[in-house]
Amino acid sequence: MALLSSSSLSFMAPEFYNVLHHQSSSLTLSRRFPLRPIINAVHVCTPPHREFLSSLFVCETASEDELWAAACLRVRSFYDFDPNTFSVKDHKKYLAEREFEALKERIAGKRTGFGRVSCINATVPLSQLSSLSNDLCAACKFTDDGEDRVVVGTLDVNQCLRLPDEITGKKPEQGIGADFARAYLSNVCVAKELQRNGLGYELVSKSKIVAQGWGISDLYVHVAVDNEPAKNLYMKSGFIHESDEPAWQARFLDRPRRLLLWIGLSSINDL
């Protein structure tokens, strides 16, 4: 499933814009950090010819190791790098560090304008994936209770009225409680090696469960107007069109024009 690329990103956090070169620093990632209670993981059964997905789990991030792996997958998915570029490894690490620190800040509730934020990941045991892509395994590996796993898909659920530089949803109407009942998906991506396997659908399905557990009634996602695979995914997941980004805004931000899609969670009965 061709989901997202650096040129058709649903929403990228501000930390990914206007990147400056600098000397990257090392991080200590072994400690675990407290998050809000985790909703039970979704276990996905796959056809026999997809053995490497037979132990796929989709759940909220539970450790800094896993959060770092998710940040690395986003850099790997949203940017195209020339392998011959000088210090490309340092630059990738710098981008991952920026997203990692910003994501920790959002999850901890320290980012102005955001309520609850959750990073949801699709993960697979390293033992079932190592023969598929050495690069993916090396970049996005983490350890969970003694088992090495790989983040193969990720997204954020953001409880807020609006996302920076994006179209604002209209539901529920502005007023008391609107900032608690509206949420947006962002940074949706699936490892290119595992696209077209239903991972995006499982991530979105899990995000609905998490958002509904928060009391969210209206869930939104932004998608580039020319990103047919992503639009098909969201439509399949029950989203409908609400509004279009003005052409002038897309030109000003130097990106493809976005669509804003909406789904009402209060009417979902199959979660």
Side-chain angles (χ1 to χ4, degrees), residues 28-102:
T28 302
L29 303 172
S30 59
R31 66 189 185 279
R32 300 177 74 86
F33 64 102
L35 295 176
R36 296 180 176 88
I38 299 172
I39 297 176
N40 291 336
V42 176
H43 183 254
V44 184
C45 296
T46 55
H49 64 287
R50 290 289 184 259
E51 291 85 359
F52 55 85
L53 294 180
S54 61
S55 297
L56 172 71
F57 286 92
V58 182
C59 56
E60 296 182 82
T61 301
S63 71
E64 287 196 356
D65 272 354
E66 184 179 347
L67 200 65
W68 171 256
C72 290
L73 179 63
R74 294 174 186 192
V75 171
R76 192 174 184 269
S77 301
F78 298 150
Y79 291 91
D80 291 322
F81 296 94
D82 181 348
N84 298 317
T85 302
F86 177 72
S87 296
V88 65
K89 290 184 179 180
D90 287 342
H91 190 51
K92 288 180 179 179
K93 184 179 179 181
Y94 164 62
L95 294 172
E97 287 173 354
R98 283 173 64 94
E99 173 62 3
F100 173 70
E101 294 297 338

Side-chain angles (χ1 to χ4, degrees), residues 40-192:
N40 291 336
V42 176
H43 183 254
V44 184
C45 296
T46 55
H49 64 287
R50 290 289 184 259
E51 291 85 359
F52 55 85
L53 294 180
S54 61
S55 297
L56 172 71
F57 286 92
V58 182
C59 56
E60 296 182 82
T61 301
S63 71
E64 287 196 356
D65 272 354
E66 184 179 347
L67 200 65
W68 171 256
C72 290
L73 179 63
R74 294 174 186 192
V75 171
R76 192 174 184 269
S77 301
F78 298 150
Y79 291 91
D80 291 322
F81 296 94
D82 181 348
N84 298 317
T85 302
F86 177 72
S87 296
V88 65
K89 290 184 179 180
D90 287 342
H91 190 51
K92 288 180 179 179
K93 184 179 179 181
Y94 164 62
L95 294 172
E97 287 173 354
R98 283 173 64 94
E99 173 62 3
F100 173 70
E101 294 297 338
L103 190 47
K104 282 201 301 181
E105 186 177 78
R106 294 196 297 271
I107 291 173
K110 298 179 180 179
R111 180 60 62 89
T112 302
F114 288 83
R116 301 182 72 168
V117 176
S118 178
C119 173
I120 299 174
N121 297 321
T123 70
V124 175
L126 176 65
S127 60
Q128 296 191 18
L129 199 62
S130 56
S131 62
L132 182 66
S133 172
N134 291 332
D135 176 69
L136 174 63
C137 294
C140 305
K141 182 182 74 172
F142 71 101
T143 301
D144 180 33
D145 291 331
E147 180 185 38
D148 289 336
R149 298 185 69 88
V150 180
V151 174
V152 295
T154 181
L155 62 74
D156 295 337
V157 186
N158 308 272
Q159 182 187 42
C160 56
L161 280 175
R162 63 186 61 84
L163 292 176
D165 296 325
E166 296 289 358
I167 322 167
T168 301
K170 301 176 181 177
K171 302 181 182 67
E173 295 183 1
Q174 295 279 357
I176 299 176
D179 52 341
F180 295 103
R182 183 185 303 167
Y184 297 84
L185 303 184
S186 65
N187 293 323
V188 187
C189 65
V190 171
K192 60 182 181 292

Side-chain angles (χ1 to χ4, degrees), residues 14-33:
E15 294 74 20
F16 274 89
Y17 289 116
N18 303 321
V19 176
L20 302 176
H21 293 280
H22 84 307
Q23 185 66 34
S24 60
S25 59
S26 61
L27 289 175
T28 302
L29 303 172
S30 59
R31 66 189 185 279
R32 300 177 74 86
F33 64 102

